[in-house]
Amino acid sequence: MRKRLAMTMSVVLALGFAAGCSGGKEQAGGADKATDANGAPKVELTWWVVQDEDAYGTFYDEMIDKFQKQNPNVKIKREIIPSDKINEKLSIAANTAQLPDLQQGSIFWPLSYAYKNLMVPLDDIIDKDDFDPAILKNVTVNDKLYIYPNNTVAIGLVVNKDLFKAKGALDLLPKNMQPWTTEQFLKAAKAVSDPAGGTYGYAMYAADTGGDQSHHALLWGFGGKSFSDDNKKAVLNSPEGIEGMKFLVSLSDEKVVPPGAAGLKATEVINNMFPQGKIGMTMGNIGHIGAFEKSFKDGTNKPFEMDIVPYPTKDGKSTNSVLFGYGTWVWNTNKKTNMEWAKKFTQFINTKENMARLAEIPSVLPTRKSLASKYAEDSIQGKTIKLFKSTGNVGLGVPGYSETRAAFYPELQAALTKTKTPEQALNDWTKKANEIIERNSK
């Protein structure tokens, strides 16, 4: 009898504890009646920031201070999350109902969570007319905007002009962001490649997902697409995509890329070999250029003149690019009051005034069209803005995007090492990617 009573009491206590936890969670979410002196609900928001603290300095703290002064009922706790830890940390948080209230970080991986109803639509707080449609498309899932883009750039090819000058090959590069052909690109890469001297025309790597936007941009140059326009299917194994993969593999055969590219990481080739003067052209954006210039100033590397040119295409009539940037979003924590104030703070830090403050940081290109006029047409920022019109769909809004991304580089490695033909590699990736999309669409 005692044993049965004890068991019954333990169950009651357990249920009571669970109910208490649930009630506490609901209170934190908007049923909490605590108010400040003005009758506004007291709110504490957790804000995860995944971005370069050195580059952005005090900007985030300034935003918090300004918002809290205007809204004394709100307290914002900012947490810096290392970029190499965010995926694991977020996966755990999503599966244990411990998501932060809002987040600032790369637009490259969170949208898959929108399919799981874990992100809050932001259409009602984004003044869409002040943003390029290409930028908004890259933060959209099922016709709803889920990320407020505030720092977006497009990739091009950053070139070492001094290396081309030394080889008498500067005229081989396109001028004023004019389109060029893949044949011209290969000729330029050959002109500055000197395997015996340790210099190569193009930065190739395939050891992980880093910098994979470059691979897609090159393949698109032959008319291929990575995903269907509705983000429901991977389609890179088209005849055009396969032709692009054959060209990419041929760069290794032509010895215009570092040896053993299949085993090299983007960080090694882009962050080290390029600023060391060993690479003629590398995937990059204004953020990379800022990092290279920093390495010149601190004496790590010998300075050289840089520029940015567009990716080549087979016919030389256009170019391809990929948006690469940052934004702010709100997590669906089921805490009504927190979610409301998280949206208010998201809207606040992305006003035109505050985005103009963000634009004062040299490595930042604000997403608002109304702020673009401040940049000279021939500046790196001005050239980057031109690339916005040529961005392709790398899959940010695809269900399970991060998984499809992780499945790509082993196939690229197989193609580069000749263990698979370009066609086999793309067929295998497309099959895996579509399985991932189907699984994450349920």
Side-chain angles (χ1 to χ4, degrees), residues 355-401:
M355 207 176 282
R357 167 69 185 90
L358 181 67
E360 295 173 9
I361 301 169
S363 61
V364 168
L365 183 61
T367 50
R368 287 182 176 274
K369 291 189 293 185
S370 58
L371 296 174
S373 59
K374 65 177 288 186
Y375 302 109
E377 189 174 349
D378 61 350
S379 67
I380 296 297
Q381 292 93 337
K383 291 177 178 179
T384 298
I385 290 170
K386 291 181 180 179
L387 292 173
F388 285 168
K389 304 296 183 182
S390 305
T391 56
N393 181 15
V394 77
L396 302 189
V398 168
Y401 166 64

Side-chain angles (χ1 to χ4, degrees), residues 56-71:
Y56 290 81
T58 62
F59 175 76
Y60 300 127
D61 288 329
E62 290 175 18
M63 293 299 102
I64 291 173
D65 186 57
K66 286 173 63 176
F67 189 78
Q68 288 183 161
K69 284 180 178 178
Q70 293 179 20
N71 303 279

Side-chain angles (χ1 to χ4, degrees), residues 81-304:
I81 311 296
S83 59
D84 61 344
K85 303 292 184 184
I86 184 57
N87 284 329
E88 178 183 0
K89 188 174 179 66
L90 186 56
S91 178
I92 294 172
N95 286 293
T96 57
Q98 297 296 319
L99 285 167
D101 295 293
L102 71 160
Q103 190 162 330
Q104 169 76 20
S106 171
I107 66 174
F108 256 84
W109 49 264
L111 285 175
S112 289
Y113 287 95
Y115 290 95
K116 303 179 187 299
N117 194 35
L118 289 176
M119 297 178 74
V120 177
L122 303 178
D123 297 78
D124 57 329
I125 65 170
I126 298 177
D127 41 338
K128 304 177 184 65
D129 291 342
D130 202 15
F131 293 85
D132 192 289
I135 292 175
L136 296 182
K137 183 179 180 180
N138 276 269
V139 293
T140 298
V141 169
N142 292 333
D143 298 324
K144 293 181 180 180
L145 294 167
Y146 284 93
I147 300 176
Y148 207 127
N150 51 30
N151 166 20
T152 304
V153 297
I155 64 168
L157 292 171
V158 180
V159 300
N160 179 337
K161 292 184 69 174
D162 286 3
L163 186 57
F164 278 88
K165 287 178 184 177
K167 297 289 186 177
L170 193 59
D171 288 342
L172 296 179
L173 295 174
K175 296 176 177 60
N176 303 317
M177 297 299 287
Q178 291 298 311
W180 59 328
T181 67
T182 48
E183 184 178 349
Q184 291 172 314
F185 165 82
L186 181 56
K187 185 177 181 180
K190 286 182 176 180
V192 296
S193 292
D194 178 13
T199 59
Y200 300 90
Y202 178 62
M204 178 77 83
Y205 42 81
D208 60 14
T209 59
D212 59 351
Q213 307 86 6
S214 182
H215 311 319
H216 291 269
L218 269 180
L219 268 60
W220 297 342
F222 291 80
K225 289 184 176 182
S226 299
F227 298 95
S228 59
D229 292 338
D230 61 8
N231 285 328
K232 292 182 179 179
K233 289 186 71 68
V235 294
L236 194 52
N237 63 336
S238 65
E240 295 82 4
I242 292 169
E243 186 180 4
M245 181 64 90
K246 288 179 179 178
F247 176 77
L248 193 150
V249 172
S250 76
L251 298 179
S252 181
D253 299 333
E254 296 283 359
K255 294 182 171 52
V256 297
V257 301
L264 291 175
K265 292 185 177 182
T267 50
E268 172 60 23
V269 182
I270 298 175
N271 297 354
N272 295 331
M273 294 183 70
F274 181 79
Q276 289 168 3
K278 298 177 180 179
I279 300 291
M281 298 177 281
T282 182
M283 183 277 283
N285 57 52
I286 192 171
H288 289 102
I289 291 175
F292 300 150
E293 290 176 337
K294 182 180 178 182
S295 78
F296 298 157
K297 290 178 181 178
D298 65 20
T300 301
N301 295 301
K302 182 180 178 181
F304 56 79

